[in-house]
Amino acid sequence: KQWYQRRVAITAGELKMEESEHKLVIDALKDVNDPKRKCYQLVGGVLIQRTIEEVQPNLENNAAKINALISTLDKNLDSKAKELIDFKEKHGIKVKGEDN
């Protein structure tokens, strides 16, 4: 169960970095006054030329979805941590080096 917790924590961390990257780009695009200005978006490893007005809604939507996924992973992580603690207490398991 601990490997599962580690994997979920790593995934949540990666998603948090991706979310912050999305927010940086969204903030940078808000300062641009010309919605028809060309910009480039990386989609599935392919760089695509679009306009800001096409890209910005997609970025905001993706950032919202990433945020929702992070929340779900955090709740899952908390649930699994509680499960692990309850299991240890139920069976009297003590791990060497863990503070109690």
Side-chain angles (χ1 to χ4, degrees):
K1 289 187 179 193
Q2 285 183 334
W3 66 267
Y4 179 80
Q5 282 182 294
R6 285 190 199 109
R7 186 67 213 144
V8 170
I10 289 168
T11 302
E14 291 169 353
L15 286 171
K16 286 176 185 176
M17 288 182 59
E18 194 168 325
E19 180 188 31
S20 73
E21 289 173 4
H22 273 69
K23 287 182 180 179
L24 282 173
V25 174
I26 290 168
D27 290 342
L29 291 179
K30 285 182 181 177
D31 295 337
V32 179
N33 295 327
D34 181 13
K36 298 287 185 187
R37 184 173 175 178
K38 291 179 189 176
C39 66
Y40 296 90
Q41 183 180 18
L42 191 62
V43 179
V46 178
L47 198 58
I48 298 174
Q49 180 180 322
R50 294 195 175 157
T51 61
I52 291 175
E53 68 184 352
E54 293 172 327
V55 170
Q56 197 165 11
N58 291 340
L59 284 172
E60 291 169 355
N61 187 29
N62 286 349
K65 287 180 181 178
I66 290 170
N67 190 8
L69 186 56
I70 290 169
S71 295
T72 302
L73 287 175
D74 285 343
K75 287 176 188 173
N76 193 338
L77 190 58
D78 291 342
S79 168
K80 289 297 177 183
K82 186 176 179 335
E83 261 184 52
L84 185 60
I85 290 169
D86 291 346
F87 184 82
K88 285 179 181 178
E89 287 175 358
K90 179 180 176 183
H91 297 285
I93 298 172
K94 298 191 187 286
V95 178
K96 188 175 183 178
E98 265 187 14
D99 294 333
N100 290 329

